[in-house]
Amino acid sequence: MGRPSGAEVEFDTACMRALLAPGGALSRVIPGYRHRQGQEDLMLRVAEALAGDEFLVAEAGTGLGKSLAYLLPAVFWARATGCRVVVSTRTRALQEQLTRQDLPSLRQALPFAFQFEQAKGRDNYLCRERLRALLSRASEADPEVQAFLTRVAAWAASSPTGDRQELGLEGREASLWATVACDRRTCLRERCPSLQSCFRQRLARRLEQADIIVVNHALLLTTARLESGVLPAFRHLVIDEAHALEREAFDKFALGLEEAEVREFLNRLLAVQRRRATGLLATWQSRYPYLRAQLDVARDARERCAEALQELFAVLSAVARSGEGSASVRLARGAEDLPRVATALSRCQEPFERLAVALQDVARERDGDQEAGELQAAAETAREIAATVRELWERVDGGGGDEVVWVTRADGQARSLRASPLQTGMALEEALYRHLDCLVMVSATLSVNGDFSHFLQRHGLAGYEQDRRLSCIRRPSPFDYHLRRRVFVVSDVVSPNHAGFAAQVADLLVDLGQALAGNTLVLFTARGMLQQVGDAVRPRLERGGVRVLVQHEDGDAASLAEELRWGRRTMLMGLDTLWEGVDLPGEALTCLVMVRLPFRSPADPLVAAWDEHLRQEGENPFTRLLLPDAVLRFTQGMGRLIRAEDDWGAAVVLDARMSGGRGGQAYGRCFRDCLPAGQLEEVRREELVSRVRAWMERFAAAQA
């Protein structure tokens, strides 16, 4: 399961403790290093899990140093036993931290060498054959595309990895990358002339030699579902940011038919541009006129596929109109529209099967040619599409069963049909856990006020705990939250469902923005509310010199967070992607606002399906699912404010349901209880700004 072990390396926890100790080797290579007992405790438990073939779920508070706590024993284990360890994270920021800071620091500190690699999804790497094909037709492209291809070709000649990150693409170039990236549907595999120099094959060879492999959840789960991919076999896995695994698994374990992908495939075969036919079939028609009869069959099959695809997505668009603007619309079991969808799917399968046969027949006429390889790959893609359609039909025609079936849409039109297991935890156990000797799952937020049962049940781990193979531990943050953070709950804001809620939120945000000297991050749970409040707040604050940034209007989450990091008197308003995985240390963020408690939308396909399932089982979906999930998301959101030991700031909750007063709900206590004692103040709207400003002034005076 890995490289030969390093005979000189022993799996010695005493040596690991010495490395972490004050004055140890790590203190000499990491600027500002501080020994933390919680970090050492976590490191020892991870080491025990590796040595004992155990599963460990560890809640490690912010600032504990959890990454070094699991990387240190993982490196020792890999070198001592020859068993590689895979480390998976959700966010790119954490992957960059591991591969650019933590692992290089360990290389400097450890008395032995080790190898690590980062593996990314296929579309991050250049495909030499796709680049070659585009360069051969570059004269037909516009000047901007020609310049892009020339730049990529020059870079590819010397790049060791073929990773797009080396290019630093922006703007139009970033959008053009997809035309030259590795693509499963166009890959020629063993028939590829560039197989030996293929960047992805080079990556696979490096991964075979690595002791530590860093991946993201998406690649980990896709590999587990397909039981194939670039990752070599492994039996030891660390999952950081583990709180996000279930939702990621729900997405990556889904079977999906994307209209844009299928249409792009059909256009690669044949399309009309500037009144002339282009694509593989058109190229073959001009080069091999004696194959006209077979090519006509393939062209006709391609047209039947396009018609069936259009019919299917017209039906899906009509069915999804009941979603009232939601991005996803679930097709519930027994819904009257299911037979229409099933019929459209059944009509879509046969055309793609016929297309696969027709393409294979044409390719057979030039068997052995490189161009034949491209057609054979296209035939395989057509078969895959037909198989996907057939499986989707079986799930829809069967009424859904234990599957969640839904339509995604944009601009009022259906964009994809997807189906994923309802019991994501069972799918994780089948595809991932049962293949492991050791699993370590780490995050700052895994328990609900010390109770791990919700996380274990949702992630399919409860059985491992019952079998005494899994342990759960908590190690608190070393930060002084009582001193450095104060949480204000506004007790007299109207209900989030009240027509006047958005106006009250806007007024309070304007008051805060005008009164505070620092930066503010405002977290929303719904895009419609974000847009409504953003439109009301922006002109009023910008007249007073406060810059307002709204996600999806002024940029994506990553770019806007970077602007907030370097801005002054800036208010950033955003959605889910800003609730976690965003680090804004120091003066980059001194005020955090939660507009409402982060309950999932009832329209969310997974939430709707679980609501139905739990009701049928006689359980309460709110207490079993929605409430514990919201508490975990609340804790994640609160974690944005204090990211380092010297950080400080005020958090404001504009949802009176959290209040302990008249406007509150009984379940508000679950949110209050996840905060350290003495941190919470309940205020009225008219006193919010003065109370926040007074606390900030007292804190500043105490630090002077």
Side-chain angles (χ1 to χ4, degrees), residues 173-467:
E173 285 191 332
S175 64
L176 288 172
W177 173 258
T179 63
V180 296
C182 291
D183 182 351
R184 182 176 59 84
R185 294 192 184 278
T186 61
C187 181
L188 300 177
R189 299 176 177 85
E190 293 77 13
R191 298 185 297 270
C192 181
S194 301
L195 185 63
Q196 293 306 309
S197 61
C198 171
F199 287 116
R200 196 161 181 272
Q201 290 298 317
R202 288 182 180 177
L203 171 67
R205 291 191 287 270
R206 293 197 305 273
L207 294 177
E208 284 285 354
Q209 298 302 313
D211 299 298
I212 305 294
I213 299 174
V214 178
V215 302
N216 61 18
H217 293 350
L219 180 59
L220 172 73
L221 294 166
T222 300
T223 302
R225 179 176 67 86
L226 298 176
E227 297 183 353
S228 64
V230 73
L231 293 183
F234 62 92
R235 300 193 67 86
H236 300 82
L237 173 64
V238 176
I239 298 178
D240 202 341
E241 299 178 311
H243 62 277
L245 188 68
E246 184 204 6
R247 294 296 301 198
E248 196 75 40
F250 178 69
D251 180 53
K252 296 307 173 186
F253 286 172
L255 180 72
L257 188 71
E258 308 278 342
E259 182 192 24
E261 284 187 10
V262 179
R263 198 169 296 284
E264 195 266 339
F265 162 68
L266 295 176
N267 288 339
R268 285 205 309 269
L269 293 177
L270 187 67
V272 177
Q273 294 180 353
R274 299 172 186 172
R275 298 186 178 181
R276 63 194 283 281
T278 61
L280 269 176
L281 296 179
T283 299
W284 276 62
Q285 186 80 64
S286 63
R287 292 182 181 176
Y288 310 112
Y290 66 90
L291 295 176
R292 178 171 181 174
Q294 294 97 319
L295 287 164
D296 283 347
V297 172
R299 290 173 71 132
D300 182 67
R302 184 259 178 221
E303 292 307 310
R304 301 290 79 75
C305 287
E307 292 167 2
L309 184 71
Q310 183 173 349
E311 176 190 349
L312 170 62
F313 277 87
V315 169
L316 293 175
S317 293
V319 168
R321 288 200 181 103
S322 62
E324 299 181 358
S326 300
S328 300
V329 179
R330 176 177 172 244
L331 303 182
R333 285 180 289 181
E336 61 181 20
D337 291 319
L338 282 181
R340 290 175 61 199
V341 176
T343 299
L345 281 166
S346 67
R347 291 175 180 168
C348 204
Q349 179 186 340
E350 185 182 5
F352 281 96
E353 290 175 340
R354 290 192 175 190
L355 176 61
V357 172
L359 293 172
Q360 193 68 52
D361 288 345
V362 176
R364 197 174 290 119
E365 296 293 329
R366 303 286 301 180
D367 194 25
D369 288 1
Q370 180 179 332
E371 291 168 328
E374 293 182 62
L375 273 188
Q376 288 167 350
E380 291 173 10
T381 297
R383 286 193 196 93
E384 287 180 7
I385 295 170
T388 298
V389 170
R390 181 174 63 253
E391 193 167 349
L392 283 168
W393 173 80
E394 290 171 352
R395 300 185 189 190
V396 170
D397 193 53
D402 288 330
E403 297 281 326
V404 185
V405 182
W406 74 100
V407 178
T408 67
R409 63 183 189 173
D411 302 322
Q413 299 298 310
R415 301 303 184 197
S416 73
L417 177 64
R418 300 176 68 78
S420 191
L422 173 65
Q423 302 279 358
T424 306
M426 292 176 61
L428 282 166
E429 201 284 327
E430 178 68 21
L432 188 62
Y433 304 154
R434 69 186 184 93
H435 301 289
L436 299 174
D437 291 334
C438 174
L439 170 67
V440 176
M441 303 183 82
V442 188
S443 174
T445 50
L446 297 178
S447 74
V448 179
N449 299 323
D451 183 356
F452 287 89
S453 59
H454 175 74
F455 177 84
L456 297 180
Q457 289 166 1
R458 300 297 301 172
H459 288 79
L461 292 165
Y464 290 93
E465 184 185 41
Q466 292 167 3
D467 294 342

Side-chain angles (χ1 to χ4, degrees), residues 523-525 576 579 594-601 626-627 629-637 653 655 657 671:
L523 300 175
F524 288 78
T525 59
D576 282 7
W579 281 77
M594 286 189 186
V595 171
R596 61 183 296 172
L597 297 175
F599 289 102
R600 303 271 183 190
S601 166
L626 292 174
L627 181 58
D629 176 76
V631 172
L632 287 172
R633 295 182 72 203
F634 174 85
T635 308
Q636 273 289 326
V653 181
D655 192 332
R657 292 176 296 178
F671 296 92

Side-chain angles (χ1 to χ4, degrees), residues 652-667:
V652 177
V653 181
L654 301 181
D655 192 332
R657 292 176 296 178
M658 185 175 162
S659 166
R662 291 178 57 189
Q665 296 287 339
Y667 58 76

